[in-house]
Amino acid sequence: MSDTVNKKSLAELVAESHNLTKKEAAEIVDLVFDTVSNTLKDGGHVEISGFGKFEVKTRAARTGINPQTKETLTIPETKVPAFKAAKNLKDLVK
């Protein structure tokens, strides 16, 4: 396996290991990613045992400076997706 895995190569791996067509495997991979995305969009979180947890975190509003004009501006609060690796994954990567 290469150093980088993308959605297409992930679908190919699923197809090979489960005797599926590439199209069927791609639909399964899309379903998983869509489910994670939609759950986060709706304010939920996704926990995958032994892998990690996906959740939405809120970055507080803060003051920034425009580097060209040196003018201060307020950067509004934003929501960002976050991932926290499970202990099993952390140990595997060590």
Side-chain angles (χ1 to χ4, degrees):
M1 185 169 280
S2 68
D3 290 343
T4 301
V5 176
N6 58 27
K7 193 160 67 167
K8 181 180 176 184
S9 63
L10 189 58
E12 289 172 358
L13 184 63
V14 170
E16 289 173 17
S17 63
H18 292 287
N19 295 323
L20 299 170
T21 65
K22 288 181 182 181
K23 182 178 179 186
E24 290 170 330
E27 289 172 357
I28 292 169
V29 170
D30 283 339
L31 175 64
V32 171
F33 289 147
D34 289 346
T35 301
V36 171
S37 298
N38 289 331
T39 301
L40 294 176
K41 181 182 82 171
D42 295 339
H45 63 275
V46 178
E47 291 186 43
I48 302 172
S49 181
F51 186 72
K53 181 169 139 180
F54 295 90
E55 60 189 346
V56 176
K57 293 194 175 190
T58 302
R59 283 191 187 155
R62 61 193 192 280
T63 303
I65 298 175
N66 181 331
Q68 291 179 336
T69 63
K70 307 297 184 211
E71 177 184 356
T72 60
L73 52 112
T74 301
I75 301 169
E77 172 180 283
T78 58
K79 292 183 179 182
V80 294
F83 175 75
K84 182 176 181 184
K87 183 180 183 317
N88 294 355
L89 181 59
K90 289 178 184 177
D91 292 343
L92 182 68
V93 172
K94 283 185 181 178

